[in-house]
Amino acid sequence: MMSKFQLDGRLAADTWSVAEWPLSSVRLMDHFDYPWFILVPRRDDIQELHHLDAEDAVQLARESGALARAMEEAFAPRALNVAKLGNIVAQLHLHHVARSEGDPAWPGPVWGAPRSRGLETQEAEDRIARVLGLVEDVGG
């Protein structure tokens, strides 16, 4: 049976497409100030982590860990913030934000902080290549 999964329009508008992993669509936030990737599990009508079945929860943890390790190696952040919010976009998505002392929102949260600008195509492609080149097997 074909899934009717559709990416939320706001996520589609605010992100660059990166890759399709076994469970998740990988997206890059169109935000110059922080390396910021998002995993969106391709499951219909799922809003919370605990709504995933056990197999999908394990796969999301595997994909999140692989993304976080690659981002840590690529950007050497002071902290790597991984969070599920869903206050504005209900569709389940998991943020991965590389934070550094002196970034525009440091040490506060990036949510709600003004964006200086979006990414130019080459900047987005460079961030994507840096991370994807370091991703280990995401299983599936």
Side-chain angles (χ1 to χ4, degrees), residues 3-140:
S3 172
K4 59 185 188 234
F5 174 82
Q6 287 197 355
L7 183 65
D8 180 275
R10 184 162 177 155
L11 289 178
D14 292 347
T15 62
W16 297 77
S17 179
V18 173
E20 296 298 318
W21 286 354
L23 175 64
S24 303
S25 293
V26 185
R27 314 286 301 183
L28 171 66
M29 280 294 289
D30 188 22
H31 205 303
F32 176 77
D33 300 316
Y34 322 95
W36 185 344
F37 289 79
I38 296 174
L39 294 177
V40 185
R42 290 183 308 279
R43 295 294 181 259
D44 299 327
D45 301 321
I46 299 286
Q47 297 180 359
E48 303 293 342
L49 288 166
H50 63 276
H51 294 163
L52 291 171
D53 67 30
E55 185 177 320
D56 283 349
V58 168
Q59 182 61 33
L60 181 58
R62 183 178 295 123
E63 292 174 359
S64 177
L67 177 58
R69 285 185 292 276
M71 289 179 68
E72 190 172 58
E73 190 172 340
F75 304 112
R78 167 75 168 74
L80 186 66
N81 299 163
V82 177
K84 182 272 175 206
L85 296 175
N87 299 342
I88 296 173
V89 174
Q91 183 174 59
L92 178 60
H93 58 289
L94 197 57
H95 298 268
H96 295 69
V97 188
R99 300 295 308 278
S100 298
E101 291 181 33
D103 74 31
W106 186 266
V110 297
W111 294 275
R115 178 180 86 152
S116 65
R117 66 178 178 86
L119 293 165
E120 299 294 330
T121 300
Q122 189 61 55
E123 292 168 331
E125 289 173 352
D126 289 348
R127 282 187 184 176
I128 291 166
R130 282 177 75 181
V131 169
L132 288 185
L134 297 168
V135 171
E136 60 195 46
D137 181 24
V138 294

